[in-house]
Every structure is written in structure tokens, then in C-alpha cells.
Amino acid sequence: MSAGIIAMMLGISTLLGALGLAALLWGLRTGQFDDTSKFLDGARFDGEEELKDAVMMEEKRKKALEKRRKDKRVMPD
Amino acid sequence: MSKISCDHCNLEFDEKVMIEDEIDGEKKYFCCKGCQGVYHLLKEEGLDSFYDKLGSTKLQPAVKKEDDLKKFDLEGFIKKYVKVRDDGLYEINLIIEGIHCAACVWLNEKVLHQTPGVIEATINYTNNKAKIVWDPEEIKLSKIIETIRSIGYNAYPYDPKLQEERAVKQRREYYARILVAVFATMNIMWIAIAQYVGLFTGMRRDIKDILNFAEFVLATPTLFYSGWVYYRSAYYGLKHRFVNMDLLVATGATLAYIYSVYAMITRTGEVYFDSVTMIVTFILVGKYLEVLSKKQAVDTLDSILGTIPTEVTVVKENEKALVMVENVEPGDIIEIKPGEKVVIDGVIINGSASFDESSLTGESEPVFKKEGDEVLSGSICIDGVVRYRAKKDFSASLLSNIVSLLEDSITKKPKIERLVNQISGYFSVTILSIAFLTFIGWYFYAGEFEKALIVAISVVVIACPCALGLATPMATLVGIGIAAKRGLLFKEAAFLETMAKSDMLVLDKTGTITEGKPSVITYEKLKDFDESIVLELVKNSNHPISKGVERFIVEKMVRGEGDKGVRWQGDKGVRWQGVKEGRSEDEYFRTHTHTHTSILKVEKFKEIKAKGMIAKIGGKRVLGGNIELLKEFGIDVEIESENSIFLVAIENELVAVFELSDKIKEGAAEAISKIKELGIRVVMLTGDNEKVAKKVADTLGIEEFYAKLLPQDKSAYIDKFHKDGHIIVMAGDGINDSIALARSDIAIAMGSGADVAISVSDIVLLDEKPKSIYEAYKISRRTFKAVKENLALSLIYNTFAVPVAVMGFVNPLVAAISMSLSSLLVVGNSFRIKLSDK
């Protein structure tokens, strides 16, 4: 077997493994594994409704922040 | 009678006691008004899919809480718990009570999401904690709490900056480091196997270079990211002038790494990257096992501070106003209502009431106080409204003093040096010097710098601190596991060792070796009467004596010895339900006693302070209380007893006599004699009087006891025992024990004890049995024995392996095999604890 192929195989497999590891670490850092049951319940229960909810919350947050910015601009001091 | 389940909470009750309701032409049954209200609310909001998600999970009945919501909007409260974010939104962390399943989480989140002004609401199912972000201009916190309550749950705040948040962060950090290390080690091992095979069969140089480089890529993050903890710890060790094992690990791993990089670049010799990752990973796992069970001692204060009200009612010129406790000055007049906690010391000027001083003395019996008497902060007003003049300001009051004493004690907690730390210091120095001497020896003997360096490194690598690093964590983890199965929670692994070394046990009396609450010891029925009348009477009072009588009668009914009047079927059904679900009696009482209306009507109930109570039940006048009460109503009674007496008179006729006393816990005497057999000195410290203390001590065979002690006195005794050179284990349950607990080497708290006591403690007894203290001694001694065996094993291994390495006979293969073998030995020996336990 040529050294080039071995190098390529090792390189790619390590890289793939490292990607998986990076994803796992990202999940850990952002607290996605803190609540194991919720993680699973998401798969069991979440549907269109929940998605809509999430969008609604996102919009609510934007609106609240927007409002705050505006209030600040209105006030000259 | 058939049983049906409540359509909200799914608990089963007799049909008779259920509330019937027709919703959309369908008949629904509810166990109480609370459940009915929640069902209607969810239906109206279109959230009734909750019930599909709920399935057959049982909930707590939705109890309507009439608690004042106002406090959530008070300045002091907001200052304490609410975090103002940079974007101006408010954030709070709450614990949601009553969550049973995923559907509950769903419902709470859903309802909060629909509430205008709530920007974010996430609930963690595993620990029932919620983070809520809201816009303070749109909604008030009290409204949010009200929303949660309206669907049958309750929420109270906690401060996440303290407590486990930090522990969780540390655990997560370790976990990430371990993940990287394990990933690298697994990959390096299969590359290394190819290398080992190459040792025997020969390998082309270019292939070897590629494998070396791949190992280098994997070993680098392991050493510098995962291994960072060793560098950090070695640095701090050196800064404080001592050599710890982390220094050995850091030196060994770094030297091996540098040498390997050199070997890789110059294409000479073998690389040791696999050993680098193995060492780092193994010891990191050992450290992680310890981090897993670590507690944060300093946070305890916040839980006691959390119970202190932030505001008190101050009366000025006949106007009442809520004033922050810090702003109250001596001389101010403070009003206190039933259920409120006294935060500032003072003298009563108007009114009288009973005060629960259990947090100061440990005794559950309330103390009656009238005009001119002193009230101490930390006590709780039970009945009556009292106005008193503040004698001190908040910071000088007893409660604040206890808190600052506690703060002081925690930082002063003695640290028993651990065996493994003592040994590893010497071990590290020895190995590092042997390696250095080997290097010099080989340099002069072989005259080759490179050869000398390889041999010296192999000495450090094979000395393999792995086994030594795993010796304690493995054994203690097994020990903690066994203890946990028996209801003994060790908060930190190191406590097993300290406990094993202890030679003195200090016990609190009330709540620790006695039940801590009055129980009926004799009951005399003088006339035939309906016992449920007495139950109805005592149910209305929170006095410990009333509770004792209530418990006695309910237990009697459950056993089937009570009057089996039909009118009790309802409550009995409920009670059985609680028992079947394995809920504790106290919990049962909290959720049920006042929610289910019974058929006997209680009218004109009145508590007469320090004497008893009077009421009209089922049309008859019923008196319940002590001798003075009956005398006041013209009933002459002659009874003498050193215990508390509870008399019941119906229509001015004495019908029953209950004698109550604080019972000694089951198996206490046996446990204490067994502990004494282990050669441990047993001492009892109590806030109770000399006479009672002597009686209890005599019964249990405790020769040494000290009575009438205040919280500070108890801790003074602990300090005195320390001066005599004792290693002290203290068991207690109340706030009054907490300072002493914090000062002792090992603090054992009862599972149902005060939060503060539990948080300063090192071991929590879930079953609260004195026998468990003996078990704790036994398990910790056995575990410590295993630790010593493990240390001996790894030292023996080194006395063989190191000389071989010094002579230069070690190649990478031998190093790897012997390293794993020694670690396996340690792990195997640790599991023997489990075997000997049977």
C-alpha cells in the first residue's frame, strides 16, 4: 500500500471523528445535554405547533427589544 | 363503593367525595375545586391536549394557594433574585413545584409562552428549574407567578449564581476535557497497535513517519487541552511550595511528548505519544470521578439568607409601612403576624403569641410570649399578632449573627490531609529524582545523551501514576455507591476517608436520636365518643402537640382501629392513596388535610394561646388542651405527668387523655452501643434542659452529655474537642446545630432537617435512622481499607517496574501493557468492597 493512501485514510477518518467530537462538544457547551429527558421528549412531542411557538417567541423577543431601542431614541437625554 | 380517578390529577378517590361537573355534555369528576378550576382553564385556553400528553401519570391535586403575591414585586425581592440584563429585560430563576412528567413541562412552557411580556421560558425537567425572561414594562413578576399557580403549580425563586451552577460548570468542563482525551486515546491506540506489530514484523520508514505524525496530531490537543488541569495544579502546587502528583504527571507527559516530537522529526527511535494520552486520560477520569461528587461548601449561607424576609411591617404614627430590614432602626415598632419570621430582636409592647424557637434551641414546642418578653430573631410567630420594639438593628440581631458565625465556620472547617496526597508528594519527588539520577548514570555509562534521555523518560512513564491516581477515586466511588443504596448520601468522596479516621461522635438530641416531635405514648378513652371529633379539632391547629394527636388518630384509622364512621371513608380513601403512592406522611398532610372538606362541620374555632383550643363541632362544644384550659372552663382534673398532656372535653365532660412525649428513635440504643464498640467516644449536645437530656442519655447508654446549649455553645464544644486532638463526626438536624456541624470534621444531617443543616453537612441520612450512622462508619472504614490496599498495590508494582526501567529494558509495548495491568489491579481491588459488603 502506498504511503499516500495510508496518509489520506488516516487524515480523513481522524478529521471525520474530530468533526463528530466538535459537534458533541458544541452540544455540551450550549447545554443541550443538561436536560436529558427534554432532549428525548422533543422528539416525542414536538410538532408543527411547537415550531410555531418557537417562532412566536422569537418575534416577541425582537419586538420587545425593538421597542426598547425606540424608547431610548425618543428620549433625548 | 367504586373508585374513580380525578380528571385533572388522575388520583383515585371514592365516588362520594368527588365533585361532578358536566363539560361539553360529558361527565367529569374532580377531587377538589383546585383541579376543577385548572381543567376549565386549560379547556378555555385550548390547552386540553395536555391531558393526552399526560396519559395516566398522577399529579398533585391543584391546591389553591392564597399566599400573598405582592412580595414578588417588592423592591427587596427584585434586588435579591431578579437579574437585569444588558438589554433591559428581567431574568429570574425559579423552581417549579409539582412537575411530574414531560406534559407538565410542556404545559408550563406553553402557558408562559402565551403570556404577553414573557420573552423566554425554559424549564428543565430533570431538576424542575426554570429560567424566565420578561419585559418589566409589560408584565409584573407577580403576574407570572400567578399564571403558574393558576394552572396548579407553584414557583419559588432560587439564586443560581451559587450552589450547583458552579459545580455544574466545573463538571461540564471536565467532561469536555475527558471527551477530547478519550477520543484521542481511542484513535491513538489503534495506530499504536500497528506500531507495536511493526516492532516485530518490521515497518517501512515512510509508513512509520505517517503513523507517528497521526499520533502527534492526536496527542497534542490531549496534552495541552485535556492535560491543562495538571499544569494548572502543578503550578499552584509549586507556588505553595509543595510537590504533588500532578507535577509528576505533567513532567512525565511533557517530557515524553517533547522526546517523541524530537524522535519524530529526527526520525530516530520510538515515539511515546500513546503513553502521553493514556496517562492524561486515565488520571483525568480519576479526577472526574472526584469532581462528580463534589459539593460547594460556601453556598450554604444563601439558603439561610433566602429564608430571611427582606421587608418587615413597621408601625409609625399608627400607619403601617413595609420597610427593608436594613432600614429598621432600634426603637422602631414592628408588627408581626402569624407565620412570619422574626428578623430583628426586640421586646413585645403589645399583644401575645406563641413563638416557634426550634431554629434556635432545636425544641419543637412553641414558647408563649407576652408583653415585656423578648423576641429573638430566627423564631417564627405561630398565633396572634404582636407589636414589638426593635432593640437592635438587623445586622446586630441574633439571626444575622448566626449567619456570620456560620460564614466564619465554613471557611475554618478543618481539613484532614488525605493519605493519597501525603504519599503522592513523596512518590513524585522519589520518582523524579530516580529519573534524574538515571539520566546522569546512563549519560556517563553510555556516553549518549539521547539514550540517557529515553531511559530517564521511560522511568517516569512506567512509574505510571495512573494506578496511584485511580487508587482513591475508584475505591471511594464504590464506597459512595454502596452508601447511597442504603440511604446515606456522601457529598464528597474525600469524606469517606475522614470518617474512617474519626474517633469521636457528637450527637444532637432532638430530631437526631429522638423523633423531634411529640408523639402519643399513652391514650386513655374515658367515655365512648367519636374520635373523628378530636381529629377535626386538632386539624385546625399547627401546634406540635395537636399535630402529634392528629398523626396518632389518623394512624389508628389507617390501621383500621378507629371509629369506622361512614363520614371518614372519604378521608380514609385519600389517606390510603397517599400511602400507596409511597409519599411521606408529611407530604400527604400538606397536600390533603385542608383541601378535602369533611362532613363534620367545625364552627367558632378558637385557639387559646399556650392552653389549647375550643370549637363547636357537629353542634357540640369541644375543648382540647392542657389542664389549665379545662380548669378555666370549670372542669376539675387531677393528672400528674412529666410529659405533655392533651385533654379532650366534649360538652364540659372529660372524655380522653393523651400523653405525649418525644420518642427515642428505633434502634438508637443498639446503634450507639455498636458505634462505641468501634472505639469511638460518643457525646450528646442538646439545647434541651438537663433533666430531659439525662433521661435520654441514660436510656441510650451515653455517659457524656451537655445540656441547655445555644447554637454558639455547641460549636464551642466542637472547638474544644478539636483542641484535644479528636477527629469529630457530628450528627444534627436543625439550624441550631448548623454552626457546630460546619465546624466538625464530618457533619451528618437528617434528610428532613433544616435546609441549612443539610447544606453544611457532608453526609445526609435519608432514612434518619441512628443505625445509619453506624453503617456510615462501617462503610467508610471498609473503603479506606481498600484505598490503602490500592496504594500498596501501586507502590509494589513500582518497586518492580521502576528498577527494570532504570536498567533500560523498557520498550513502548512493555510500558503500555504494564501500565494497563496496574490500573486494572486497582480497579479490581476496589470492586472487592462490594463483595465484602454482602
Side-chain angles (χ1 to χ4, degrees):
Chain A
M1 212 190 301
S2 87
I5 292 177
I6 295 223
M8 197 176 68
M9 280 166 63
L10 261 178
I12 290 176
S13 57
T14 312
L15 188 73
L16 286 178
L19 283 180
L21 180 70
L24 193 62
L25 288 177
W26 169 73
L28 190 73
R29 293 256 150 121
T30 50
Q32 294 179 49
F33 299 114
D34 287 3
D35 188 355
T36 39
S37 31
K38 197 169 197 171
F39 186 64
L40 296 172
D41 290 338
R44 269 170 66 202
F45 296 134
D46 287 5
E48 205 182 336
E49 189 80 350
E50 278 65 29
L51 208 62
K52 273 188 204 149
D53 253 22
V55 174
M56 183 189 82
M57 290 309 282
E58 195 65 35
E59 268 168 15
K60 230 171 156 186
R61 169 195 292 270
K62 263 191 213 149
K63 246 185 236 158
L65 291 179
E66 190 69 24
K67 206 180 103 203
R68 291 200 155 257
R69 260 201 299 277
K70 250 187 222 158
D71 289 351
K72 261 184 207 155
R73 242 181 280 147
V74 171
M75 275 187 283
D77 54 334
Chain B
M1 222 175 298
S2 68
K3 289 212 164 169
I4 43 175
S5 61
C6 170
D7 275 305
H8 172 70
C9 67
N10 277 336
L11 291 176
E12 285 176 10
F13 301 102
D14 286 334
E15 202 176 334
K16 267 189 90 168
V17 297
M18 297 298 255
I19 303 168
E20 260 185 58
D21 198 353
E22 212 174 88
I23 299 164
D24 298 337
E26 221 180 308
K27 252 198 187 155
K28 298 277 176 196
Y29 294 93
F30 300 100
C31 67
C32 58
K33 283 267 176 217
C35 288
Q36 189 186 17
V38 175
Y39 190 92
H40 276 278
L41 186 86
L42 295 187
K43 192 94 188 160
E44 279 159 27
E45 296 284 326
L47 291 170
D48 45 348
S49 66
F50 166 67
Y51 295 107
D52 303 332
K53 293 190 168 73
L54 184 66
S56 59
T57 314
K58 288 188 169 52
L59 303 176
Q60 250 169 45
V63 182
K64 278 256 179 241
K65 291 198 175 65
E66 307 294 338
D67 217 352
D68 55 327
L69 280 161
K70 268 185 302 185
K71 77 167 188 194
F72 293 105
D73 294 330
L74 292 174
E75 199 188 330
F77 183 91
I78 292 193
K79 227 164 123 190
K80 194 160 159 9
Y81 292 108
V82 176
K83 191 177 128 197
V84 181
R85 304 189 344 164
D86 294 338
D87 51 16
L89 300 175
Y90 281 13
E91 184 183 313
I92 195 169
N93 289 277
L94 299 170
I95 293 175
I96 312 270
E97 220 174 47
I99 287 188
H100 284 81
C101 58
C104 298
V105 173
W106 175 86
L107 180 65
N108 273 290
E109 282 187 356
K110 191 91 183 167
V111 167
L112 286 171
H113 286 170
Q114 285 182 356
T115 312
V118 175
I119 307 293
E120 195 184 317
T122 44
I123 299 169
N124 185 322
Y125 172 40
T126 320
N127 54 19
N128 297 355
K129 280 173 182 164
K131 187 178 117 185
I132 293 170
V133 178
W134 76 97
D135 186 349
E137 283 168 21
E138 268 197 65
I139 191 168
K140 277 184 176 170
L141 179 60
S142 57
K143 183 79 194 150
I144 297 176
I145 305 278
E146 202 186 340
T147 311
I148 296 172
R149 284 186 186 168
S150 71
I151 51 169
Y153 300 85
N154 193 17
Y156 50 90
Y158 80 100
D159 202 340
K161 286 195 291 293
L162 348 145
Q163 303 229 357
E164 47 356 298
E165 207 76 349
R166 232 174 311 156
V168 166
K169 213 179 139 211
Q170 196 193 14
R171 225 177 293 162
R172 200 186 282 174
E173 184 202 305
Y174 262 91
Y175 196 52
R177 289 181 200 278
I178 284 185
L179 278 179
V180 172
V182 168
F183 169 77
T185 310
M186 278 163 62
N187 283 293
I188 272 194
M189 282 330 283
W190 63 259
I191 301 173
I193 284 174
Q195 300 254 40
Y196 296 154
V197 175
L199 280 180
F200 300 109
T201 60
M203 188 184 273
R204 259 182 22 224
R205 189 65 233 185
D206 56 340
I207 303 272
K208 200 167 180 176
D209 285 344
I210 291 167
L211 295 184
N212 284 352
F213 184 72
E215 286 193 2
F216 163 74
V217 169
L218 288 164
T220 307
T222 315
L223 180 63
F224 295 111
Y225 174 68
S226 305
W228 180 245
V229 283
Y230 307 120
Y231 290 117
R232 196 171 52 193
S233 155
Y235 168 73
Y236 284 121
L238 283 179
K239 209 171 151 192
H240 294 106
R241 291 171 180 280
F242 72 28
V243 175
N244 55 15
M245 209 171 57
D246 289 331
L247 181 68
L248 180 69
V249 176
T251 343
T254 317
L255 279 178
Y257 178 79
I258 291 173
Y259 172 76
S260 304
V261 172
Y262 170 78
M264 179 183 75
I265 292 171
T266 58
R267 307 177 83 183
T268 46
E270 300 295 332
V271 294
Y272 285 83
F273 288 123
D274 53 333
S275 306
V276 175
T277 54
M278 279 267 273
I279 292 181
V280 168
T281 311
F282 260 144
I283 301 179
L284 200 61
V285 169
K287 270 181 184 280
Y288 180 65
L289 293 183
E290 284 182 284
V291 171
L292 260 187
S293 62
K294 207 149 218 160
K295 68 154 188 171
Q296 304 288 332
V298 205
D299 310 324
T300 47
L301 304 167
D302 302 298
S303 59
I304 190 170
L305 283 170
T307 64
I308 300 179
T310 51
E311 264 105 0
V312 290
T313 315
V314 171
V315 187
K316 260 186 189 155
E317 288 150 12
N318 264 334
E319 294 226 359
K320 289 183 201 173
L322 280 174
V323 176
M324 304 256 294
V325 284
E326 287 86 0
N327 299 337
V328 176
E329 283 165 20
D332 282 353
I333 293 165
I334 300 168
E335 185 177 282
I336 195 139
K337 290 190 276 294
E340 284 182 352
K341 188 176 233 172
V342 180
V343 262
I344 293 166
D345 300 345
V347 178
I348 299 181
I349 53 165
N350 193 347
S352 62
S354 299
F355 286 86
D356 173 3
E357 288 190 344
S358 60
S359 62
L360 304 169
T361 61
E363 297 312 311
S364 51
E365 192 123 340
V367 184
F368 180 72
K369 299 205 165 173
K370 52 185 194 308
E371 270 165 50
D373 285 345
E374 203 175 346
V375 282
L376 293 172
S377 52
S379 54
I380 297 165
C381 177
I382 296 180
D383 47 15
V385 178
V386 164
R387 286 186 185 188
Y388 71 96
R389 193 183 298 280
K391 248 176 49 181
K392 296 168 181 165
D393 59 9
F394 174 65
S395 58
S397 287
L398 188 62
L399 190 58
S400 310
N401 268 331
I402 291 183
V403 173
S404 50
L405 262 175
L406 206 53
E407 200 164 26
D408 207 34
S409 304
I410 287 166
T411 46
K412 276 192 192 147
K413 190 164 175 94
K415 278 258 180 296
I416 303 287
E417 205 192 346
R418 294 172 58 196
L419 188 64
V420 69
N421 291 347
Q422 284 169 318
I423 290 183
S424 62
Y426 293 116
F427 181 76
S428 305
V429 174
T430 316
I431 295 295
L432 287 174
S433 351
I434 291 178
F436 185 67
L437 292 176
T438 311
F439 172 74
I440 292 182
W442 272 89
Y443 183 64
F444 286 110
Y445 169 72
E448 241 183 287
F449 176 80
E450 206 182 298
K451 175 77 184 164
L453 189 65
I454 299 174
V455 178
I457 289 173
S458 72
V459 170
V460 178
V461 173
I462 202 145
C464 176
C466 290
L468 203 61
L470 284 175
T472 318
M474 262 329 287
T476 45
L477 197 77
V478 177
I480 284 183
I482 294 173
K485 265 191 202 155
R486 307 216 177 144
L488 292 158
L489 299 185
F490 278 79
K491 289 201 195 160
E492 208 172 295
F495 299 143
L496 277 163
E497 186 174 332
T498 314
M499 178 113 193
K501 287 176 178 169
S502 146
D503 59 349
M504 183 167 187
L505 173 68
V506 176
L507 292 163
D508 164 53
K509 182 182 76 74
T510 321
T512 307
I513 43 183
T514 67
E515 300 277 357
K517 47 191 177 188
S519 312
V520 174
I521 45 169
T522 61
Y523 166 49
E524 210 179 327
K525 201 170 178 178
L526 304 171
K527 293 253 162 58
D528 196 40
F529 70 100
D530 187 355
E531 278 167 0
S532 44
I533 292 178
V534 182
L535 184 58
E536 273 312 311
L537 181 74
V538 290
K539 257 164 84 174
N540 283 290
S541 158
N542 271 326
H543 195 285
I545 298 271
S546 309
K547 289 280 148 218
V549 174
E550 182 182 350
R551 224 175 301 118
F552 175 75
I553 298 178
V554 170
E555 268 163 28
K556 219 169 148 232
M557 289 186 156
V558 170
R559 284 198 309 266
E561 295 164 13
D563 299 340
K564 289 180 191 156
V566 181
R567 62 177 73 97
W568 281 102
Q569 289 292 341
D571 266 43
K572 226 174 114 186
V574 174
R575 158 106 200 143
W576 275 113
Q577 195 66 39
V579 173
K580 254 198 283 181
E581 282 158 23
R583 278 188 278 150
S584 76
E585 196 172 290
D586 287 339
E587 194 186 343
Y588 160 77
F589 270 101
R590 265 205 310 279
T591 49
H592 282 95
T593 323
H594 299 287
T595 51
H596 294 273
T597 45
S598 58
I599 291 149
L600 271 179
K601 214 166 149 202
V602 181
E603 288 167 304
K604 293 183 188 160
F605 176 85
K606 204 178 143 217
E607 249 177 301
I608 297 157
K609 282 161 219 147
K611 285 179 184 162
M613 54 217 150
I614 174 167
K616 232 182 170 97
I617 301 174
K620 290 177 186 161
R621 190 176 77 170
V622 183
L623 291 169
N626 57 15
I627 298 174
E628 276 94 72
L629 178 87
L630 268 70
K631 278 190 177 148
E632 202 178 298
F633 283 87
I635 307 167
D636 218 17
V637 198
E638 287 291 329
I639 296 172
E640 265 195 34
S641 165
E642 53 181 32
N643 299 317
S644 311
I645 296 287
F646 183 82
L647 305 164
V648 181
I650 299 175
E651 295 289 358
N652 268 10
E653 192 177 13
L654 184 66
V655 293
V657 181
F658 295 86
E659 195 178 0
L660 294 98
S661 143
D662 191 4
K663 263 197 288 193
I664 289 173
K665 282 188 186 170
E666 219 183 294
E670 191 197 347
I672 285 167
S673 80
K674 272 186 172 169
I675 290 171
K676 276 194 193 156
E677 272 169 33
L678 295 174
I680 289 157
R681 181 174 156 196
V682 181
V683 178
M684 184 175 90
L685 302 180
T686 174
D688 210 345
N689 65 54
E690 186 94 20
K691 206 173 114 195
V692 182
K694 186 159 178 16
K695 199 174 131 195
V696 173
D698 286 349
T699 327
L700 294 175
I702 299 174
E703 288 96 17
E704 203 178 342
F705 69 91
Y706 303 92
K708 278 206 109 151
L709 302 174
L710 280 174
Q712 333 38 325
D713 304 336
K714 285 192 180 181
S715 82
Y717 269 104
I718 300 283
D719 288 347
K720 188 181 153 282
F721 295 141
H722 265 146
K723 270 203 193 116
D724 300 343
H726 288 292
I727 295 176
I728 303 157
V729 172
M730 158 129 195
D733 74 322
I735 297 175
N736 63 321
D737 302 316
S738 50
I739 305 175
L741 283 172
R743 292 224 173 194
S744 55
D745 297 284
I746 290 287
I748 302 181
M750 301 296 140
S752 71
D755 288 348
V756 192
I758 292 177
S759 49
V760 295
S761 71
D762 308 312
I763 304 169
V764 181
L765 299 189
L766 292 182
D767 61 2
E768 312 197 349
K769 284 183 191 145
K771 192 169 161 260
S772 298
I773 300 177
Y774 169 68
E775 295 270 349
Y777 267 112
K778 233 178 61 185
I779 292 172
S780 50
R781 286 193 176 190
R782 173 66 189 95
T783 308
F784 188 48
K785 197 177 141 218
V787 168
K788 284 192 274 192
E789 286 165 0
N790 283 347
L791 291 174
L793 272 175
S794 63
L795 290 182
I796 290 170
Y797 156 81
N798 275 302
T799 50
F800 286 106
V802 171
V804 177
V806 169
M807 285 184 274
F809 291 138
V810 173
N811 62 25
L813 185 63
V814 177
I817 291 174
S818 59
M819 221 154 63
S820 316
L821 210 66
S822 66
S823 301
L824 276 178
L825 267 178
V826 164
V827 172
N829 184 50
S830 301
F831 279 102
R832 278 184 50 227
I833 303 176
K834 251 186 185 161
L835 293 179
S836 70
D837 180 54
K838 276 174 191 165

